[in-house]
Amino acid sequence: MIAAGGLCLVITLVTLIAGENNVWGLVLLSTLFLIVGILIFRSQKPTYHVVLASSSGERQGLTSQDEPLVNRVIGAITDAIIYRG
């Protein structure tokens, strides 16, 4: 969305430089694309994963958007490995 808005904005600027005056619809469309794209980008949350590796390979153990939860799980796994020796 952000790329589409940027592309529309560049096309609008080129059209304005060429001497066209009737491009306000394109300006509105490109602004709308930019605003929607920025809102979508800002609303996304990162996803955190706990990957367990062993001699038999890797396995994804936990996936969450809650970073403190993932950090607690990693800490608990680390403590369990240290305790076991």
Side-chain angles (χ1 to χ4, degrees):
M1 284 298 240
I2 295 173
L7 182 63
C8 284
L9 195 58
V10 168
I11 291 171
T12 302
L13 292 175
V14 169
T15 307
L16 280 173
I17 290 171
E20 293 289 327
N21 292 328
N22 193 11
V23 292
W24 296 112
L26 195 54
V27 170
L28 181 64
L29 182 66
S30 62
T31 305
L32 180 68
F33 277 161
L34 283 170
I35 290 172
V36 169
I38 290 170
L39 289 176
I40 289 172
F41 180 75
R42 291 193 57 166
S43 70
Q44 293 180 344
K45 290 184 174 181
T47 302
Y48 302 96
H49 304 280
V50 176
V51 178
L52 306 170
S54 67
S55 59
S56 62
E58 291 185 351
R59 174 124 176 131
Q60 188 170 329
L62 173 69
T63 300
S64 176
Q65 291 182 339
D66 185 9
E67 184 180 12
L69 171 68
V70 172
N71 288 334
R72 286 193 313 268
V73 169
I74 291 171
I77 292 171
T78 303
D79 291 342
I81 291 171
I82 291 171
Y83 178 75
R84 182 169 182 221

